[in-house]
Amino acid sequence: MRFEKGMLFINVWNTYEGGLIKNGKDYLTTKEKAAQHGIGLKNVERVIHSYHGNIAISDTDNIFDVKIMLYTLLMK
């Protein structure tokens, strides 16, 4: 995480084994009891967009990578 020129950048990544399941640009859970999982990224995206931020999600070489950018309000 870093703060630069009025913007907050957050980068979270982790490795994974096996395949990912996608429906268009959306990632679907691979966990058992799928009805109880799979809402985390949707909630993050909803919050990011409600604050007019940006989120980029990628998966390359068994690394799942989420990059977030939020604008801050500067008070004087």
Side-chain angles (χ1 to χ4, degrees):
M1 183 175 357
R2 75 181 197 278
F3 182 78
E4 186 176 312
K5 297 181 182 179
M7 294 176 284
L8 178 64
F9 296 92
I10 302 169
N11 185 203
V12 179
W13 62 268
N14 66 306
T15 60
Y16 64 90
E17 292 183 19
L20 296 174
I21 301 171
K22 290 177 76 172
N23 180 12
K25 68 176 185 82
D26 296 329
Y27 290 88
L28 304 177
T29 185
T30 58
K31 295 178 181 176
E32 293 182 26
K33 300 181 182 178
Q36 299 172 2
H37 297 282
I39 60 170
L41 278 177
K42 283 290 178 201
N43 283 335
V44 171
E45 288 176 332
R46 182 180 50 80
V47 170
I48 297 301
H49 290 131
S50 73
Y51 286 96
H52 308 289
N54 294 306
I55 183 169
I57 303 170
S58 64
D59 60 276
T60 306
D61 298 327
N62 288 54
I63 297 175
F64 190 76
D65 190 11
V66 178
K67 292 179 170 71
I68 297 169
M69 182 185 70
L70 291 170
Y71 299 97
T72 61
L73 298 174
L74 300 177
M75 309 279 293
K76 291 185 179 187

